Amino acid sequence: MNVSRPPELPFDLTDPGFIADPYPGLNALRETAPIVYDERLGRRFVTRHADVRACLRDKRLGRNFRHLGTEEEFHAEPLDPRWADFWASERWSLLWLEPPEHTHIRKLVAAAFTPRAVESMRGPAERLARSLLESLGERFDLLYDYAQPYSITLICELLGVPTNRHRDLLDWSHAIVKMYEFDTTDAQAIEANDAAREFRAYVLDLIEERRAEPRDDMVSGLVEARVDGERLSDDQIVSTVVVLLNAGHEATVNTVGNGFRALAAHPDEWRRLVSGEVPAAHAIEELIRWDPPLQLFERWVLADGVEVAGEPVARGERLALLFGSANRDPRAFAEADRLDLSRANAAEHVGFGGGIHVCIGAPLARIELAASFEALAQLRPTLHLVEEPERVPAFVIRGFQSVHVAR
Ligand code: HEM
């Protein structure tokens, strides 16, 4: 046994009891050790804010290794050929790539996903949040009736995806993101693979339509984007649209659920939002810090001689960065377990990542979430839970099944 390695994780990431409230367990772990190897999961878990931040910025750590070496060399399972359609949709996703391909695709996506395009969503976001809330009755599901149609409508509007396919997109997306969990079953993988195939066929049709008749939307922008005379291929556009649609609504929807659940448990903080004492744009940073919708992202060690939290880590090892733990680190945030909407440094949370993969959608997410919580606080100041919501049984993508609320 390697004595320099601290013990394995003291909890099971798939245990519903742990998922219900992972923070006491994460706090205890973080105070025991900055980095913990788990034999069963074959990964090292990084627990503290400064170390998670340093890992995100370290170019010797990558989301993928396949540009440098084989699966054997990196002790990775080969990609299961049964899920070929899913892998094809991932192939050109920004989240699958490392430089130089990542640099190239990210520049082209940024050329279409401009600050002007994002800023143009502010008015529509504010109007949509209000009109959805005005159309809802006494009791509703904050996720199904409000947060989901809100986020999917906005991302589809930005991309130029017609409204009649919104429910298909939600279904495809829910199926696909199950592939990012630790305990994906074969049945879930089959669904994800089927969803990826249908999603791809749909986006290819959309590309054809926009190529024939460009509009003022992002799919047209991606078709036309050029950097140094190069364009995106159809496969690259498909992966980009899939990742923008998936990343573009799941985390945002879950932030509304997690955030409102946090406020319901802290009525004084909710009142500070309702009274306007704390602007919604500030409050959402603390809500993301306190209960982030994405709890863990991974990195492969791509080079020799890397140290994390003062410990050498070998090329080929896998690191899991614990965002929820980093965001509750008292070294970075005073009284880190306390929800304080006016916390001055709340935006130093790692919820949007960092380094070359930093969330490209963060400016849009911030506009959307601020408009969403502002509308809730203004139009439904007495909103409350009608029952304790039930967690989705998954650790990485953290959200609720539903959040039933009433005026
Ligand atoms: C509250 C909402 C959101 C959260 C918490 C979030 C979080 C993140 C995080 C943590 C990463 C980095 C992953 C890593 O380093 O391994 C990321 C990347 C990304 N996000 Fe977001 N995101 C949100 C909303 C959005 C939205 C609205 C969009 C698009 C419209 C989006 C698109 C992306 C994309 C494309 C990437 C990959 C960037 C790259 O690899 O270069 N996200 N997001």
Side-chain angles (χ1 to χ4, degrees), residues 23 26-32 47-50 289 324-338 343 345:
Y23 299 108
L26 292 172
N27 286 350
L29 177 68
R30 185 186 55 242
E31 298 314 313
T32 313
T47 62
R48 295 183 185 165
H49 187 265
R289 182 194 74 82
S325 168
N327 282 353
R328 297 282 189 111
D329 187 343
R331 295 161 194 78
F333 303 102
E335 291 185 79
D337 279 332
R338 192 157 77 85
R343 183 183 291 278
N345 70 342

Side-chain angles (χ1 to χ4, degrees), residues 56 63 93-97 102 106 109 113 155 158 240 243-253 255 288 292-294 297-299 321 323 349-354 356-362 364-366 368-369:
L56 288 168
R63 288 191 50 97
S93 156
L94 283 171
L95 287 168
W96 184 257
L97 300 174
H102 177 270
R106 181 136 177 160
V109 176
F113 205 172
I155 187 70
L158 185 76
T240 300
V243 73
L244 286 174
L245 275 167
N246 289 347
H249 85 276
E250 290 276 349
T252 321
V253 169
T255 304
I288 295 174
L294 299 167
F297 276 99
E298 296 199 320
R299 293 294 186 266
L321 313 178
F323 283 19
H349 64 72
V350 292
F352 287 120
I356 63 164
H357 289 284
V358 68
C359 179
I360 202 169
L364 176 66
R366 289 183 157 124
E368 257 187 57
L369 288 166

Side-chain angles (χ1 to χ4, degrees), residues 101-120:
E101 286 180 343
H102 177 270
T103 322
H104 176 64
I105 303 287
R106 181 136 177 160
K107 268 192 207 156
L108 282 155
V109 176
F113 205 172
T114 58
R116 188 190 66 82
V118 173
E119 190 52 44
S120 75

Side-chain angles (χ1 to χ4, degrees), residues 165-288:
R165 298 306 292 269
H166 286 188
R167 276 288 149 196
D168 284 336
L169 291 172
L170 277 170
D171 291 345
W172 290 333
S173 172
H174 287 319
I176 290 173
V177 298
K178 288 287 174 238
M179 294 296 266
Y180 307 130
E181 295 294 339
F182 278 107
D183 50 350
T184 314
T185 62
D186 274 7
Q188 286 172 326
I190 291 171
E191 277 187 29
N193 198 56
D194 289 348
R197 189 173 54 250
E198 289 172 30
F199 205 157
R200 175 187 163 77
Y202 173 69
V203 177
L204 284 174
D205 283 350
L206 200 61
I207 293 172
E208 273 320 299
E209 282 175 30
R210 294 301 183 269
R211 193 166 277 141
E213 250 180 83
R215 295 194 196 166
D216 185 16
D217 62 34
M218 253 191 83
V219 174
S220 307
L222 291 168
V223 169
E224 285 165 11
R226 248 178 223 254
V227 170
D228 304 331
E230 293 212 42
R231 287 170 181 271
L232 290 164
S233 68
D234 282 5
D235 282 340
Q236 291 168 345
I237 298 176
V238 169
S239 287
T240 300
V241 171
V242 171
V243 73
L244 286 174
L245 275 167
N246 289 347
H249 85 276
E250 290 276 349
T252 321
V253 169
N254 287 330
T255 304
V256 174
N258 296 350
F260 186 73
R261 167 69 186 73
L263 291 165
H266 296 83
D268 291 346
E269 295 300 306
W270 171 246
R271 277 191 286 278
R272 296 174 80 198
L273 188 63
V274 169
S275 69
E277 181 199 329
V278 184
H282 193 94
I284 58 152
E285 302 296 339
E286 176 69 348
L287 295 174
I288 295 174

